[in-house]
Amino acid sequence: MPYELHLELLLGKRLRDVEGKPVGRIEEFRAELKAGEWIISEYLVGSYGLWERLSAWSIVRLLLGRRRTGANGSRIPWDQMDLADPDQPRLRCRRETLTPIQ
């Protein structure tokens, strides 16, 4: 059954893992076009996601070179996100299992 949600309502929401530990804020989404419909493929959490949303990540990397920018974050696959309560989104896994964005 298709599930629809206004994504703009998720922006900035604090995300917690399955144990209730804080993960970060939802800052951006990635989507893929499949069979004529846009489907969310992943969620970006943390400051990296914020830079992505502001379309400034490439500018920041250019200005700072390849040095560490201090930005961090995680890519959350769509199937690891529990949005049963959109006001309190949760992971379906522990935050330690997430791969950090480099």
Side-chain angles (χ1 to χ4, degrees):
M1 176 163 100
Y3 179 59
E4 292 185 22
L5 178 69
H6 288 271
L7 291 176
E8 69 274 10
L9 299 177
L10 290 175
L11 286 175
K13 294 279 184 186
R14 292 177 193 247
L15 179 64
R16 296 195 175 269
D17 73 0
V18 72
E19 296 176 339
K21 295 178 185 173
V23 177
R25 292 184 185 271
I26 299 173
E27 298 292 357
E28 184 63 296
F29 315 95
R30 294 245 170 99
E32 299 174 2
L33 186 60
K34 291 185 178 180
E37 293 185 356
W38 286 99
I39 307 295
I40 297 299
S41 59
E42 63 185 7
Y43 300 83
L44 300 180
V45 176
S47 58
Y48 176 89
L50 179 61
W51 286 116
E52 282 279 316
R53 179 164 32 117
L54 298 175
S55 298
W57 185 244
S58 58
I59 295 169
V60 169
R61 291 189 76 177
L62 179 65
L63 292 174
L64 297 178
R66 294 204 167 261
R67 297 185 314 228
R68 181 158 172 76
T69 63
N72 57 25
S74 298
R75 284 188 176 105
I76 315 283
W78 72 270
D79 60 346
Q80 291 298 319
M81 189 72 79
D82 178 358
L83 299 174
D85 180 357
D87 290 327
Q88 297 180 2
R90 298 181 76 86
L91 286 178
R92 292 186 169 136
C93 61
R94 295 175 59 220
R95 69 179 181 187
E96 292 83 11
T97 63
L98 298 174
T99 304
I101 298 171
Q102 299 296 331

